[in-house]
Amino acid sequence: MQARGGLRLQGLIKRFGDVTAVAGVDLELPPGKLISFLGPSGCGKTTLLRMIAGLEQPTDGRVLLDGEDITEQAPHTRDIGMVFQTLALFPHLSVAGNIGYGMRIRGVRGEDIRRRVEELLELVSMEGLGDRRISQLSGGQRQRVATARALALEPRLFLLDEPLSALDANLREQLQVELRLLQQKLGITTIMVTHDQRESMTMSDLVVVMTAGSVEQVGEPLEVYRRPATPFVASFIGRTNLLRGEGRDGSVTIARRPFDVDGAVTAAEVTVSVRPEEAHLSTGELPERNALRGTVVFVRDLGELFECYVDCGLGEPVVVAGSPRERVPVDQGAPVVVLFPREACVVVRG
Amino acid sequence: MTERRRATRGAYAVLAFPVGMLAVFFLVPFGIMVATSFYHRIEGAFYEPAFELANWQRFFSGVYMERTLFSIGISLFAGAVSIALAFPFTYFLTRMRRRPHVVLLVLVMSALALSEVIVGFSWTVLLGRSAGISNVLVWLGVMNESAAYQPSFFAVLLGLCYIAFPYCVLTLYPQLTRLDPEVTEAAQTLGASPWRTFWTVVVPICRPIIMAGFLLVFVFTLGSYLIPAFLGRPEHWTLSVFISDQATFNANVPFAAAMALFLTFLSLGVVALVMWIEARTRRIA
């Protein structure tokens, strides 16, 4: 697959009246990959996607597709395929009519349209359903039609705006895998907007975490999970314990106990993120470093996962999670020691 | 089950009053009119009960058949013009910002407060020679001398469309407000220019409501007699004008009744025809 669909965003800003939806975004997105814009609602991720599609004109900044400036181009000249949050299927057309719409607009011959529609129906596992009306389809089928329609013209960019949000949880997980496999098969540059970190981690090559109109962190899913750059990223992607402490000479003191941490300590006030599953419980002695003494507040055993809330005198309880089979037998109210291995303590501010 | 049945019985009770009113004040007069259309007219006096086909014969033999075709023609024309103007207007109205949107909507709706008589007279003045629009054009130096634009076919059409326009907007408004903006955006990302999007997506989606608005104006215009009488020459008069003319000035109620009945069945026929065509084309598409 040739490298087409490389996208560059330069200083993109979008204001709606007094509201700044996107506050200066610079990004270099590699071709052929699936990139997700992840963030809470109202963080500007959809606006950013709409500016790439040309549906929203940036207040400032440029959009470059394969080195070509497309900022001023109207959406219908941009060579993109998009799946909308509402799917936006045409209710007056059949499934085949929807998928073939773009080709009809471009004046492709009827025979060629039919052949391509058949191909696309097969691609999204909907063979033989071309004559159905949109109103006769299930949610998952509608999603597939919207995908096929967006891919019909083999666009350089495939844009997805919360494409699975209308579906129930099981179907969503299934379609996440399907969409990802489809994208890998076609090697098409894909940008997906989502607020679901699980969806983002399932599908993406690259995650762009956004909040309040700005990019917080860009990285591969596991890297973003393991090494969050800011407290926001740490708490938005997965669950985490944010421990506040004082930094001195490259080490951190939390609740008057010394900690070795992963990451540079440069400030006096330091926030350390520890994922629940990377902290451990112990009933033994309190080690010299990287451990806190506490009291078990609450235990939850879900069968696949156990969680233990420990009050270590930090204000909020520390959450420790793990596999139930390796669970250290502790009861509510019991004294316990929480261990924080050095590589689990990621500095997110400091 | 019993709950349901009781509810239905209650619904019948509620419906009884309007149905009764409809029977007494619509069906009975309608029956009287059917009977009257076969009555015998006494020249110089009124009419007496009889059963003769003279009124119907006169209708089918005279100039009235031609007037009927004209009435249908101008009504279809007015319907087409009104929809052609109201559809883009309403479409852009629903895509405006809130404030101008509401202001414009209120303005259009306020035109509904005017009675047909006032509208008719106003246009008589506006299109007249002595105080009409042409005087403004003369004053601006566009024209040499003022002219009268009424009575004329154009004036009748203008008056009819003026009255029908707000009704069209009102009919189209709910559907166009609900039209998902993402649907038109989807068309654009698939390569359709705004113009093609309008014709290949917006209009087809709204076709049923466009037909409904068109039929509304058609029926409405077919029954209109003040506007053609005020703004047209006799050759621009619709059948409705002749009906009122026969009933009030010539005191020929049996003949007027025959014509009115024919007009009623005709408009029902046209409505049925248009709906049939609409249903057929939808099935094919």
Side-chain angles (χ1 to χ4, degrees):
Chain A
M1 197 71 205
Q2 74 192 96
R4 81 201 258 274
L7 190 73
R8 197 144 137 216
L9 310 178
Q10 293 180 332
L12 273 187
I13 295 176
K14 179 67 186 180
R15 293 193 196 93
F16 296 102
D18 299 335
V19 182
T20 303
V22 175
V25 168
D26 289 280
L27 278 177
E28 177 92 51
L29 303 176
K33 303 285 188 198
L34 197 152
I35 300 116
S36 59
F37 293 170
L38 176 64
S41 58
C43 73
K45 56 193 191 300
T46 294
T47 308
L48 193 58
L49 190 79
R50 288 172 60 83
M51 286 195 283
I52 294 167
L55 298 169
E56 220 63 81
Q57 193 60 36
T59 311
D60 198 13
R62 315 229 62 84
V63 180
L64 288 95
L65 182 56
D66 292 329
E68 180 197 353
D69 188 340
I70 59 165
T71 318
E72 307 293 331
Q73 278 184 24
H76 66 277
T77 61
R78 282 198 183 191
D79 196 12
I80 48 169
M82 183 159 172
V83 175
F84 291 79
Q85 188 165 12
T86 61
L87 301 181
L89 296 172
F90 305 132
H92 63 293
L93 296 175
S94 65
V95 168
N98 267 276
I99 297 174
Y101 178 86
M103 288 179 271
R104 268 210 318 287
I105 291 291
R106 305 247 157 134
V108 177
R109 282 192 313 137
E111 186 59 33
D112 297 339
I113 295 180
R114 253 194 305 284
R115 199 172 322 119
R116 177 83 178 125
V117 168
E118 286 305 316
E119 252 175 60
L120 287 157
L121 283 171
E122 200 184 311
L123 189 70
V124 297
S125 335
M126 280 190 61
E127 297 96 329
L129 297 179
D131 295 332
R132 291 279 174 88
R133 299 199 69 82
I134 298 304
S135 54
Q136 296 170 322
L137 302 181
S138 69
Q141 289 174 324
R142 284 176 204 211
Q143 210 291 322
R144 291 189 172 103
V145 174
T147 302
R149 184 179 70 173
L151 291 171
L153 293 164
E154 298 182 334
R156 271 194 286 180
L157 273 184
F158 183 33
L159 307 178
L160 302 157
D161 183 6
E162 308 244 4
L164 307 173
S165 58
L167 307 173
D168 64 65
N170 285 337
L171 192 56
R172 192 157 61 221
E173 301 244 321
Q174 184 195 332
L175 279 170
Q176 282 167 4
V177 176
E178 272 182 33
L179 260 177
R180 173 57 165 166
L181 291 174
L182 185 65
Q183 185 271 334
Q184 284 175 331
K185 187 168 152 192
L186 301 174
I188 185 171
T189 312
T190 305
I191 302 175
M192 178 179 72
V193 159
T194 181
H195 63 265
D196 180 349
Q197 55 107 2
R198 237 180 112 83
E199 186 166 294
S200 178
M201 298 211 31
T202 307
M203 297 174 69
S204 324
D205 294 300
L206 204 62
V207 181
V208 177
V209 187
M210 293 182 68
T211 184
S214 310
V215 173
E216 288 275 305
Q217 189 174 3
V218 181
E220 287 171 21
L222 268 185
E223 182 194 330
V224 172
Y225 183 81
R226 296 240 168 94
R227 305 193 51 82
T230 65
F232 172 80
V233 176
S235 51
F236 189 74
I237 305 205
R239 297 171 57 194
T240 198
N241 297 297
L242 291 176
L243 314 177
R244 262 169 284 274
E246 292 130 41
R248 197 178 307 128
D249 308 329
S251 91
V252 179
T253 309
I254 297 167
R256 275 175 270 140
R257 302 289 305 170
F259 276 71
D260 295 323
V261 295
D262 186 2
V265 179
T266 52
E269 275 189 33
V270 179
T271 304
V272 173
S273 160
V274 184
R275 298 289 180 191
E277 70 275 12
E278 294 189 30
H280 303 291
L281 293 179
S282 156
T283 47
E285 288 295 304
L286 181 67
E288 194 64 29
R289 309 181 72 81
N290 283 43
L292 291 174
R293 204 187 284 284
T295 313
V296 177
V297 184
F298 182 68
V299 179
R300 162 160 53 198
D301 198 331
L302 298 169
E304 56 167 349
L305 180 86
F306 89 88
E307 284 177 356
C308 191
Y309 291 61
V310 183
D311 180 5
C312 297
L314 298 170
E316 279 181 47
V318 172
V319 183
V320 181
S323 163
R325 295 198 190 282
E326 293 151 22
R327 180 181 157 190
V328 177
V330 286
D331 290 319
Q332 209 163 316
V336 74
V337 170
V338 187
L339 310 171
F340 304 92
R342 182 186 172 276
E343 61 276 14
C345 299
V346 180
V347 177
V348 290
R349 187 189 288 145
Chain B
M1 203 59 204
T2 45
E3 279 299 312
R4 243 185 102 104
R5 192 166 295 166
R6 204 172 299 152
T8 320
R9 202 174 290 160
Y12 281 136
V14 172
L15 272 174
F17 180 71
V19 167
M21 295 292 279
L22 205 64
V24 173
F25 293 104
F26 178 75
L27 285 180
V28 171
F30 189 79
I32 294 172
M33 195 161 77
V34 172
T36 313
S37 73
F38 295 103
Y39 283 0
H40 177 70
R41 186 198 178 207
I42 304 158
E43 202 73 44
F46 215 38
Y47 57 85
E48 61 184 14
F51 185 82
E52 56 179 42
L53 296 172
N55 301 311
W56 290 93
Q57 273 161 1
R58 182 176 171 205
F59 178 78
F60 284 108
S61 59
V63 69
Y64 300 103
M65 220 40 225
E66 188 255 318
R67 281 297 92 196
T68 309
L69 290 179
F70 174 81
S71 303
I72 290 177
I74 197 172
S75 300
L76 292 174
F77 198 32
V81 171
S82 303
I83 284 289
L85 293 173
F87 190 79
F89 174 85
T90 316
Y91 179 67
F92 289 112
L93 180 75
T94 55
R95 261 129 200 86
M96 277 180 174
R97 283 161 193 276
R98 187 100 196 125
R99 189 175 283 262
H101 177 157
V102 172
V103 169
L104 258 176
L105 193 63
V106 168
L107 264 174
V108 171
M109 291 306 115
S110 64
L112 287 173
L114 304 172
S115 81
E116 206 181 335
V117 182
I118 295 172
V119 171
F121 273 125
S122 305
W123 280 112
T124 320
V125 175
L126 282 173
L127 297 175
R129 190 190 302 278
S130 49
I133 300 164
S134 61
N135 293 288
V136 179
L137 295 175
V138 170
W139 181 71
L140 287 171
V142 180
M143 286 169 65
N144 287 325
E145 58 182 54
S146 61
Y149 299 109
Q150 60 83 15
S152 70
F153 179 78
F154 166 75
V156 175
L157 195 65
L158 185 72
L160 291 173
C161 290
Y162 181 88
I163 292 189
F165 184 78
Y167 289 100
C168 280
V169 173
L170 213 58
T171 315
L172 298 169
Y173 185 77
Q175 167 117 36
L176 280 169
T177 320
R178 278 201 307 271
L179 189 72
D180 180 2
E182 289 198 338
V183 169
T184 54
E185 288 176 352
Q188 287 182 46
T189 62
L190 292 166
S193 63
W195 179 250
R196 291 201 73 176
T197 302
F198 185 79
W199 284 108
T200 57
V201 174
V202 180
V203 171
I205 288 177
C206 296
R207 213 182 59 179
I209 201 74
I210 290 175
M211 289 314 293
F214 173 74
L215 283 181
L216 183 78
V217 177
F218 170 75
V219 173
F220 192 82
T221 311
L222 205 58
S224 161
Y225 76 96
L226 278 166
I227 295 289
F230 283 175
L231 295 170
R233 290 204 184 85
E235 70 256 35
H236 309 128
W237 285 2
T238 54
L239 200 60
S240 308
V241 182
F242 286 91
I243 293 169
S244 67
D245 198 48
Q246 288 294 331
T248 51
F249 297 111
N250 294 341
N252 192 347
V253 176
F255 186 45
M259 283 200 287
L261 277 175
F262 184 75
L263 191 62
T264 306
F265 290 123
L266 198 71
S267 58
L268 284 177
V270 172
V271 170
L273 183 73
V274 171
M275 283 169 74
W276 180 71
I277 293 171
E278 159 70 15
R280 233 181 105 85
T281 46
R282 197 181 321 174
R283 212 175 311 135
I284 290 164

